[in-house]
Amino acid sequence: MTVRVVETPFDPSAELAAFCRGRTDVGAIASFIGLVRDEHGGERILAMTLEHYPGMTERQLARIEAEARARWPLFDVLVIHRVGRMLPGEPIVLVATASAHRAAALEACAFLIDWLKTKAPFWKLEETPAGARWVEARASDEEAAARWER
Amino acid sequence: MTVRVVETPFDPSAELAAFCRGRTDVGAIASFIGLVRDEHGGERILAMTLEHYPGMTERQLARIEAEARARWPLFDVLVIHRVGRMLPGEPIVLVATASAHRAAALEACAFLIDWLKTKAPFWKLEETPAGARWVEARASDEEAAARWER
Amino acid sequence: MRIRYFAWLRQRVGCSEEEVELPAEVRTVGDLKRWLGSRHPRFAEACAAIGVVKAAVDHEFADDDRPLAGAREVAFFPPVTGG
Amino acid sequence: MRIRYFAWLRQRVGCSEEEVELPAEVRTVGDLKRWLGSRHPRFAEACAAIGVVKAAVDHEFADDDRPLAGAREVAFFPPVTGG
C-alpha cells in the first residue's frame, strides 16, 4: 500500500528509509514532510486536529497518486497522512516519489502535495490559547493546484 | 555546518531525522536524495567514483546555500555530498530545506540540486562491465539550472 | 439516503450524519441543498455564501447540477485544508 | 603558480598538479591555456573543443579573459557532473 491514513504518530525518516531500502534502480527520491507548527497567523498553536472523510480520503489519495504515475515515470510513490489530534512538531503528512531522474521525482512530489491540499477531504482544527478554530482554505493553495491543471 | 562533503557512506533518513528533530516552528521540509543507479544509458553500472576539487567544492556549496537562503525564507538547509567510490543503491547526495510553508521548501530544494549539478566541482566516473567511463555533462542540467537565473 | 456533514458544517448543523427519504422533486445536489436548508436553517445560511459548502456524492466531488439518481451517500463540507 | 587538473583532463595531461613559473606575457586564463597547451599536447587538443575545458582561479570559476595577477592556483577540468 502506498497510500495510508494513520491515526497515530508516524516517523517520516523511518518511512523514507524503508522507501529507499534495497533499491538500486532508483536514482532520485524527492520527499515532502508537513509538520504541525506552533504558530499560525500570530497565534500560538497548542494542538491540531485533522478531521477527514473515511472512504473518500483513501479514494482521492489513490486517484491523485494514479494521476502522478500517469504524468511522470515513477518507480514508486508513498503518501502517508495523519488524522486525529497532534502536537506542534508532529508530522501531518509525508509524500515521497522515486524516479530514475530528479526532475520527475521533484515535480511529482510538488504535484502530489499541491493536489492533496485541494482535493483530499481533510480539515484542520487548531487549538489556540483563545480557543479552537477551523483553518480556512487559502486561495494560494488553489492557485498552486491550478498550475498542474491541463 | 549545514554543508558537508563526506568520504564514507551516510544515511539520508537518519540525517533527515536529525534535521527535523525538536523543531516546532517549521511547517515544511522538502528533501532530495540522489542514489547510484545500477544502469545508465543501457549499460550496467558496477560502481561509481565521485572526484571533486577540495576547497572549491565547499566554497561553491556554501555559496549555493547562501543564494537559496537569500531567495527563500528558510529556517534551515542541509547539503551532504558523498565523494569517493560507491556502489549502486548508495546515496550520493542529500539536499533538505526547512521553511514555514511548502512552496519555499520545495522550490529551494529543487533550486539547490539544480545549481549543485552545474556549479559544484564534482565529476562522476562509472565502472561498467566494459570498463570505466567519465559521465558526460547533460545539456538538460544546464537548462534546469538556467531557469533559476535572474 | 445518507447525508454526512464535516468540520464546522457538522458543528453548525449539529449532527454528523442523518438518514433521509427524499421527495421525488429533489433530483440534484442543488435541490438537496435547498431541501436540507429548509430543515437546518444554519445549513441554509452556509449555502448562501458562495463556495463555502462543497459536496461529494458517493465519495466524488459533485457540483450543484449533479443528479442524485442511484446515489447512496451525499456529504457536505467546507473547502478542504489538509496536507 | 600551482596548476591542477581534474577528471579525464587529469588523465589526459598525465598529472594532477604541477608548479609552474609563468612567463611575463601569460596574463590571462586564455594565455595560460595556450602556454600549457604547448607543454601538454593533449591539453591543447582538449582546449580546441569549445566548452570542454572549464577553469577556476583560486576556487572561482573563471573565463578566458580573467587576469591571473595575484592568483595562486588555477584549475582546469571538464564540465561538472555531480549531484
Side-chain angles (χ1 to χ4, degrees):
Chain A
M1 261 280 269
T2 55
V3 168
R4 278 152 52 199
V5 177
V6 298
E7 297 185 1
T8 50
F10 69 100
D11 178 348
S13 58
E15 298 290 346
L16 260 182
F19 187 69
C20 301
R21 191 167 296 137
R23 299 213 63 150
T24 57
D25 51 352
V26 162
I29 291 174
S31 78
F32 175 81
I33 303 167
L35 304 156
V36 180
R37 291 175 61 207
D38 58 12
E39 184 273 338
H40 186 199
E43 276 205 85
R44 199 149 62 87
I45 304 302
L46 306 172
M48 169 99 85
T49 299
L50 259 289
E51 180 172 330
H52 79 124
Y53 183 178
M56 181 172 176
T57 306
E58 293 78 0
R59 184 187 183 119
Q60 285 295 108
L61 292 181
R63 174 173 294 179
I64 293 165
E65 189 210 331
E67 182 69 30
R69 285 180 182 271
R71 292 185 185 211
W72 290 278
L74 302 173
F75 285 113
D76 211 349
V77 174
L78 175 66
V79 177
I80 301 177
H81 204 296
R82 173 92 181 272
V83 295
R85 187 170 184 273
M86 55 203 89
L87 301 174
E90 290 187 19
I92 306 169
V93 64
L94 167 68
V95 172
T97 52
S99 181
H101 300 292
R102 78 182 183 290
L106 288 164
E107 286 174 23
C109 182
F111 165 84
L112 282 160
I113 188 67
D114 281 347
W115 268 35
L116 187 157
K117 284 242 173 207
T118 58
K119 295 179 195 292
F122 294 102
W123 302 274
K124 286 186 179 129
L125 179 72
E126 291 174 339
E127 291 170 42
T128 75
R133 63 185 184 193
W134 291 95
V135 173
E136 281 191 47
R138 301 189 310 163
S140 61
D141 285 336
E142 284 294 336
E143 287 155 21
R147 71 190 163 120
W148 303 105
E149 299 289 353
R150 58 177 188 187
Chain B
M1 261 280 268
T2 53
V3 167
R4 279 153 51 200
V5 177
V6 298
E7 297 184 0
T8 48
F10 70 100
D11 178 348
S13 58
E15 298 289 348
L16 261 182
F19 186 69
C20 301
R21 191 167 296 137
R23 299 213 65 151
T24 56
D25 51 351
V26 162
I29 291 175
S31 78
F32 176 81
I33 303 167
L35 305 156
V36 180
R37 291 174 60 206
D38 59 12
E39 183 273 339
H40 185 199
E43 275 203 85
R44 199 149 62 87
I45 303 302
L46 307 172
M48 168 98 85
T49 298
L50 259 289
E51 181 171 329
H52 81 125
Y53 183 178
M56 181 172 176
T57 306
E58 292 79 359
R59 185 187 184 118
Q60 285 295 109
L61 291 181
R63 175 172 294 178
I64 294 165
E65 189 210 332
E67 181 70 30
R69 284 179 182 272
R71 291 184 185 212
W72 290 277
L74 302 174
F75 286 112
D76 212 349
V77 174
L78 175 65
V79 177
I80 301 177
H81 204 297
R82 173 93 181 272
V83 294
R85 186 170 184 273
M86 55 203 89
L87 301 175
E90 290 187 18
I92 306 169
V93 64
L94 167 67
V95 171
T97 54
S99 181
H101 300 292
R102 77 182 184 289
L106 288 163
E107 285 174 23
C109 183
F111 165 84
L112 282 161
I113 188 69
D114 281 348
W115 269 35
L116 188 157
K117 284 245 173 204
T118 57
K119 296 179 196 292
F122 293 102
W123 301 274
K124 285 185 179 132
L125 179 71
E126 290 174 341
E127 292 170 41
T128 74
R133 63 184 185 193
W134 291 94
V135 173
E136 281 192 46
R138 300 188 313 163
S140 61
D141 286 336
E142 284 295 337
E143 287 155 21
R147 72 192 162 119
W148 303 105
E149 299 289 353
R150 57 177 188 188
Chain C
M1 175 181 287
R2 173 177 297 190
I3 311 294
R4 303 184 69 172
Y5 304 95
F6 290 95
W8 57 257
L9 206 56
R10 168 175 56 71
Q11 295 178 318
R12 291 265 187 104
V13 172
C15 79
S16 61
E17 55 182 84
E18 55 186 333
E19 290 287 336
V20 297
E21 287 290 329
L22 295 192
E25 70 271 20
V26 175
R27 292 192 183 87
T28 66
V29 167
D31 293 342
L32 179 58
K33 277 180 171 174
R34 282 182 290 275
W35 186 73
L36 288 170
S38 68
R39 298 157 52 112
H40 304 294
R42 301 200 65 193
F43 182 75
E45 263 170 43
C47 288
I50 288 166
V52 161
V53 174
K54 305 289 184 187
V57 174
D58 290 337
H59 296 168
E60 297 283 350
F61 283 106
D63 291 326
D64 279 359
D65 57 3
R66 164 74 193 259
L68 294 175
R72 289 179 304 170
E73 180 171 296
V74 180
F76 295 100
F77 43 75
V80 303
T81 58
Chain D
M1 175 182 286
R2 174 177 294 190
I3 310 296
R4 301 184 70 172
Y5 305 96
F6 289 94
W8 56 258
L9 206 57
R10 168 175 56 71
Q11 295 177 319
R12 290 264 188 106
V13 172
C15 78
S16 61
E17 55 182 85
E18 56 185 334
E19 289 288 336
V20 297
E21 287 290 328
L22 295 191
E25 70 270 20
V26 175
R27 292 191 183 87
T28 66
V29 167
D31 293 343
L32 180 58
K33 276 182 174 172
R34 281 182 290 275
W35 186 73
L36 289 169
S38 68
R39 298 157 52 113
H40 303 294
R42 301 199 66 193
F43 181 75
E45 262 170 44
C47 288
I50 289 166
V52 161
V53 175
K54 306 290 182 185
V57 174
D58 290 336
H59 296 168
E60 295 284 350
F61 282 105
D63 291 326
D64 279 359
D65 56 3
R66 164 75 192 260
L68 294 175
R72 290 179 304 171
E73 181 170 296
V74 180
F76 295 101
F77 42 76
V80 304
T81 57

